[in-house]
Amino acid sequence: MPIQILPPILANQIAAGEVVERPSSVVKELVENSLDAGADRIEIDIEKGGAKLIRIRDNGCGVPQDELVLALSRHATSKVATLEDLESIHSLGFRGEALASISSVSRLTFTSRTAAQSEAWQAQAEGREMQVMVRPAAHPQGTTVEVVDLFFNTPARRKFLRSEKTEFAHIDELIRRIALSRFDITLMLRHNGKVVRQYKAASSVAEQERRLAAVCGTSFMHHALAIESEHSDVRLRGWIATAPGARTQNDLQYTYVNGRMMRDKLINHAIRQAYDDLLPAEHYAAYVLYIELDPRQVDVNVHPAKHEVRFHQARLVHDFIFQALYSALRQHGSDEPSLAAQQVTLPVAEQPDYPGQAPRAEWYGAEHAYRPAPAHEENVRDGGSLAQAGERLAPAYSGSGASSKGSHGYGSAGREAAPAIDPRAVQGLQALMTTLPPSVSPEPASDGMGTPRALALVATRYLLWQQADTLRLLSLVRAERALLLPHLLEQWGQGLTAQPLLLPISLTLPEALGEQCEVRSDLLRRLGVELKSGSRATMILTRVPALLRQGDLARHFPELLQLLASLPDTLGQGETTLLCQWLLSHGIADSKSYDFSAATRLLHEMAQQMPTALNALSRPVSLDDVIKEFEGG
């Protein structure tokens, strides 16, 4: 066969093979286009796993009428124009192939309106010929792309699609990855008309931590070590699970380079090397990590699906990631002085300064790694090694989140001293424990359980779900406590992790409770509580377990001492469980709110790990009276 130029039809099919591997590939390209267009709300509608319909709607800047046809042409893009642009990519897309390739294997409708236009315009292209028709349409500012009947004209490729459930699972995982890459975006995912995921834009720390928990689960949050490190012009931020949080599969590993989702070999090797001897056999690390560097120092155009990049200083980046994670993991749990005692300069930021991250690291359940700033910064400037530079691993707290000692001081002005040990108070605490979930371990899923179906969020703390033909209402607070209890009991043998308080809390205690601090010092350390003596009857609280960091410690700590006073000298399984339940009851408030995504994930985790407890924490909901009323009327 002689050498010849490929006809456009064949060239488009080959390009589509590179871009459109399966429905999730289409979703990825279109959602990234929405992000590049500046959208802060994106809705994704899927039918039959994406084979029948993929619809992406955004409120971005839109495409002008006179550029619609061009937008569906090959190698047409507004994101790069010169070779210099290609050497410094700031956008997620840049090749200009996606829309043309997708339209060559589907029936594509592209509807868009800019702020300057009084009406929207719609372009339609179908199959190989790619004849584009443009007509007026009704649409708000932004863009909607509909991809119908994917691979309708390429049966050989369509037969390689998996089941509807499998294809949608790939899309679901993709949206979870995107949700972690951009906390400032509202994302909604529907399948066959039903909402499956809903991630609201998260601007506050509490909202961002809820999204992280919704995507990664409560177990990850419990073991999460929040890190931040910077060397030269490379920055690493995010969360890594400590060794006890290792997983039996590599399903919770998220890495991003300048906001772009990555499965890069160099990054993965550095992370595996950092964990090296810490993970049990056949276990995998869990992490959500963001790497930032000058776009000119990274080439994103080396992989067809852009899953990998090439760093200009690959060895430096590899060693930096390894050293930062290695130090954080091995500092974790070491006997270091409290954060307040160290000379650490904590950065302050009023707004999130890059996608995915909060301005400070006060995360629910997150264990913060830190290290004093380098004493001799000239080592960095002079090209010293990363070890010499002593990269900083300090949590980026916001000054607005810090409270003064006086506001926490138990017995300070305007606050009464703690009462002496009251037997009635102890009885009340023990009575509270009866409302908490029992000590349960993960159970094998019951074959008769089936897949639970989440229906609606009720009063932000309960989930209405369906089990076969029965409607049930789940207490989300109790479900989260039940899921965390086995992890606390598992950690009890080695002691719960003590986390430093940004500002130590001064407590003025009565003599009886002060004695408990000495008598129960070993038990307090096992609970993750660290104290040091102040003047007279004053104790200074310096570290607490993760669950208590966000609570009212001035009130909770004396309650804890009351409870300890009622327990025998030697604790059995019952007393250990009682203490862990107390931590959960104070760490996860009865008034805690959930969004639908977090509620759905809790339901599925309960169904997989604790099906018996799921039923125990749910109540059947009957509609008989309502039905009778309708029928009687």
Side-chain angles (χ1 to χ4, degrees):
M1 182 183 296
I3 296 174
Q4 56 186 330
I5 301 295
L6 290 175
I9 292 176
L10 186 55
N12 288 336
Q13 288 293 297
I14 294 173
E18 293 182 352
V19 175
V20 188
E21 179 185 1
R22 62 195 325 158
S24 61
S25 308
V26 175
V27 176
K28 175 181 180 294
E29 296 292 342
L30 297 181
V31 171
E32 287 184 346
N33 273 348
S34 296
L35 293 174
D36 285 340
D40 60 14
R41 180 179 178 84
I42 304 172
E43 297 181 21
I44 304 102
D45 286 281
I46 306 296
E47 290 184 12
K48 297 191 178 300
K52 180 62 179 174
L53 170 70
I54 297 171
R55 181 190 297 117
I56 312 293
R57 177 187 289 264
D58 69 54
N59 63 349
C61 63
V63 176
Q65 174 195 355
D66 57 357
E67 295 179 14
L68 280 180
V69 174
L70 196 58
L72 300 183
S73 304
R74 287 197 65 196
H75 307 307
T77 180
S78 62
K79 300 168 187 178
V80 294
T82 66
L83 184 60
E84 288 73 18
D85 293 337
L86 192 61
E87 293 175 351
S88 181
I89 299 293
H90 291 82
S91 57
L92 296 174
F94 55 87
R95 291 175 182 161
E97 294 180 352
L99 290 174
S101 297
I102 294 168
S103 66
S104 72
V105 290
S106 70
R107 298 182 172 94
L108 184 142
T109 303
F110 189 99
T111 309
S112 192
R113 176 186 167 190
T114 65
Q117 292 177 187
S118 59
E119 61 181 346
W121 290 84
Q122 184 178 89
Q124 287 184 308
E126 184 172 315
R128 297 185 180 93
E129 301 303 327
M130 298 179 61
Q131 306 241 345
V132 181
M133 298 172 50
V134 179
R135 68 182 109 185
H139 194 280
Q141 180 181 334
T143 300
T144 296
V145 182
E146 288 190 358
V147 178
V148 179
D149 296 334
L150 187 63
F151 301 139
F152 79 98
N153 55 352
T154 52
R157 295 188 60 193
R158 190 178 183 92
K159 73 179 182 181
F160 282 97
L161 292 180
R162 302 297 183 180
S163 67
E164 176 181 330
K165 181 179 179 180
T166 298
E167 294 298 343
F168 181 74
H170 283 281
I171 295 173
D172 188 22
E173 174 61 20
L174 171 72
I175 298 305
R176 292 171 64 194
R177 287 181 172 273
I178 294 173
L180 288 178
S181 73
R182 292 288 299 272
F183 281 88
D184 57 325
I185 303 298
T186 294
L187 290 164
M188 180 178 290
L189 173 63
R190 286 183 285 257
H191 189 214
N192 296 333
K194 297 173 184 176
V195 175
V196 178
R197 304 283 177 199
Q198 184 172 4
Y199 302 109
K200 296 181 180 179
S203 56
S204 69
V205 172
E207 291 169 345
Q208 294 186 22
E209 67 194 25
R210 281 199 292 270
R211 177 178 289 196
L212 186 66
V215 175
C216 299
T218 52
S219 177
F220 175 80
M221 296 297 291
H222 183 64
H223 295 287
L225 183 69
I227 69 166
E228 178 180 358
S229 185
E230 189 170 354
H231 172 68
S232 188
D233 58 352
V234 184
R235 188 181 194 187
L236 175 69
R237 292 205 273 184
W239 303 266
I240 55 176
T242 53
R247 301 174 69 85
T248 55
Q249 51 187 351
N250 62 343
D251 60 339
L252 218 167
Q253 298 182 340
Y254 301 106
T255 54
Y256 303 86
V257 175
N258 290 348
R260 186 186 301 277
M261 298 178 286
M262 281 294 128
R263 296 189 186 95
D264 187 78
K265 294 176 183 177
L266 179 141
I267 297 173
N268 292 341
H269 182 271
I271 296 171
R272 283 197 307 269
Q273 196 174 36
Y275 275 92
D276 193 20
D277 57 338
L278 298 179
L279 295 181
E282 306 301 324
H283 280 65
Y284 298 87
Y287 48 82
V288 180
L289 292 173
Y290 305 86
I291 301 163
E292 274 192 302
L293 71 166
D294 186 337
R296 292 170 296 183
Q297 296 297 316
V298 57
D299 184 0
V300 299
N301 193 24
V302 296
H303 189 280
K306 305 175 214 169
H307 290 323
E308 295 183 9
V309 295
R310 179 180 293 126
F311 297 103
H312 290 187
Q313 301 185 63
R315 172 53 62 182
L316 172 66
V317 173
H318 177 281
D319 290 351
F320 165 68
I321 295 172
F322 163 75
Q323 186 70 27
L325 301 188
Y326 182 92
S327 300
L329 288 166
R330 282 150 184 83
Q331 282 184 9
H332 166 66
S334 63
D335 187 17
E336 298 182 28
S338 70
L339 179 62
Q342 299 185 31
Q343 298 300 315
V344 179
T345 301
L346 299 176
V348 175
E350 295 181 357
Q351 298 293 332
D353 54 1
Y354 84 101
Q357 285 299 88
R360 51 195 171 115
E362 292 177 320
W363 301 97
Y364 163 77
E367 302 162 355
H368 300 91
Y370 54 89
R371 171 177 284 184
H376 302 289
E377 294 187 359
E378 59 271 17
N379 286 343
V380 180
R381 294 192 296 270
D382 294 341
S385 69
L386 287 172
Q388 292 171 326
E391 66 276 10
R392 177 170 52 82
L393 294 171
Y397 288 97
S398 167
S400 61
S403 303
S404 65
K405 286 185 182 180
S407 64
H408 290 296
Y410 202 95
S412 60
R415 188 183 294 272
E416 298 178 359
I421 296 175
D422 184 349
R424 290 174 298 179
V426 174
Q427 292 172 3
L429 285 169
Q430 292 173 330
L432 170 65
M433 296 302 108
T434 63
T435 69
L436 292 173
S439 175
V440 288
S441 298
E443 321 158 29
S446 170
D447 292 337
M449 179 69 188
T451 302
R453 181 183 173 193
L455 299 177
L457 193 64
V458 180
T460 73
R461 294 193 298 278
Y462 304 93
L463 179 68
L464 183 67
W465 62 285
Q466 183 178 358
Q467 182 183 37
D469 295 329
T470 304
L471 296 179
R472 302 182 69 88
L473 195 67
L474 172 66
S475 170
L476 296 170
V477 170
R478 295 189 179 189
E480 186 174 3
R481 289 171 180 169
L483 283 169
L484 282 177
L485 182 57
H487 296 289
L488 289 183
L489 293 172
E490 181 184 349
Q491 283 194 339
W492 185 261
Q494 62 186 25
L496 305 184
T497 301
Q499 292 193 358
L501 295 173
L502 179 60
L503 291 175
I505 297 174
S506 178
L507 303 167
T508 301
L509 301 172
E511 184 177 353
L513 293 185
E515 290 177 357
Q516 286 298 311
C517 293
E518 296 183 10
V519 173
R520 296 289 190 167
S521 58
D522 291 341
L523 183 54
L524 285 170
R525 277 193 294 271
R526 185 176 289 273
L527 280 165
V529 176
E530 293 185 11
L531 297 152
K532 60 183 180 181
S533 299
S535 58
R536 298 177 63 85
T538 301
M539 300 298 294
I540 299 175
L541 194 59
T542 58
R543 293 192 179 202
V544 295
L547 281 165
L548 296 185
R549 287 192 78 253
Q550 305 300 324
D552 185 355
L553 293 170
R555 180 169 60 87
H556 292 165
F557 183 64
E559 288 182 11
L560 176 60
L561 295 177
Q562 293 266 11
L563 180 58
L564 295 182
S566 69
L567 300 179
D569 294 339
T570 302
L571 301 187
Q573 180 65 29
E575 290 79 15
T576 299
T577 302
L578 185 70
L579 286 173
C580 291
Q581 288 175 327
W582 185 92
L583 286 173
L584 289 168
S585 70
H586 288 72
I588 304 175
D590 291 330
S591 59
K592 180 177 179 179
S593 297
Y594 298 80
D595 59 24
F596 186 75
S597 296
T600 301
R601 189 166 184 84
L602 275 174
L603 173 67
H604 290 158
E605 287 188 5
M606 288 293 293
Q608 293 171 5
Q609 301 177 30
M610 301 179 174
T612 304
L614 173 58
N615 285 326
L617 296 175
S618 299
R619 298 291 181 269
V621 176
S622 175
L623 300 178
D624 292 343
D625 292 340
V626 179
I627 294 173
K628 288 179 182 178
E629 183 180 345
F630 278 124
E631 293 178 347

